[in-house]
Amino acid sequence: IPARKNDRIVIFYMYYLVIRIIIQIALKEQNNVTYISFFQTIAPILIYFIAIRLTEEQAKKIEKCFCIFAVTSVLVGVLDSRLNILPESGAFSGGLYADVGDVYVERGYSLAGNALNTGYMCALSIGFLLRGKREFFGKWHVIFLAVMVVGLLLSYSRGALVCVGVILVSQVI
């Protein structure tokens, strides 16, 4: 696949990330969050270069699997918030709250982890489900979409809501 203008921008950003972490390490200004942030940012960039080489059929298979895992993840998170079936540690320990008016509500989570990861996963799944129309799951399509919307709303993630907004706008254009 020949290099495109977008590829050069992505590569430039990847170099920036690598140089930034090298400088942080050299100046001893790093901590665990530095490494977590670096890997969380660089992983999607590396996956971008794999994704541009996928055929349409391969992409649909991956999107379908992603939606199945996302629905399972959200359902387990909702079930755990009621029955406490997961271990009380890490992402499953709860305690992440959102300020809604005069009330604090616990944000929803899933097997993907905390509310922010859950919201982003739901937003991506909504995009895949809208793109796949009903060919993915037939009559189950609406149920999958409903679970993803519930997971998104329970996460109280503003960024994920914006992501869904961008997805909806891109579907219209």
Side-chain angles (χ1 to χ4, degrees), residues 47-109:
I47 289 173
Y48 164 81
F49 291 106
I50 296 169
I52 62 174
R53 288 167 174 75
L54 293 176
T55 65
E56 187 69 25
E57 187 175 311
Q58 291 170 325
K60 284 182 181 180
K61 286 179 185 176
I62 292 169
E63 291 170 6
K64 184 176 181 178
C65 288
F66 185 89
C67 292
I68 290 168
F69 294 137
V71 164
T72 304
S73 179
V74 168
L75 290 175
V76 170
V78 170
L79 192 61
D80 181 62
S81 69
R82 306 291 182 252
L83 302 176
N84 297 320
I85 58 174
L86 295 173
E88 292 282 332
S89 63
F92 311 122
S93 62
L96 186 58
Y97 292 89
D99 181 10
V100 182
D102 296 337
V103 181
Y104 289 98
V105 293
E106 187 171 6
R107 298 171 80 170
Y109 53 91

Side-chain angles (χ1 to χ4, degrees), residues 85-161:
I85 58 174
L86 295 173
E88 292 282 332
S89 63
F92 311 122
S93 62
L96 186 58
Y97 292 89
D99 181 10
V100 182
D102 296 337
V103 181
Y104 289 98
V105 293
E106 187 171 6
R107 298 171 80 170
Y109 53 91
S110 67
L111 292 177
N114 66 29
L116 302 177
N117 294 340
T118 299
Y120 180 68
M121 175 189 68
C122 291
L124 263 170
S125 293
I126 288 169
F128 292 153
L129 288 164
L130 292 175
R131 182 173 177 256
K133 307 283 187 266
R134 290 190 174 268
E135 67 191 56
F136 273 0
F137 304 107
K139 64 182 177 182
W140 290 92
H141 185 85
V142 175
I143 294 170
F144 274 58
L145 197 56
V147 170
M148 290 297 93
V149 169
V150 167
L152 175 72
L153 295 176
L154 288 175
S155 76
Y156 291 92
S157 173
R158 295 178 303 237
L161 286 172

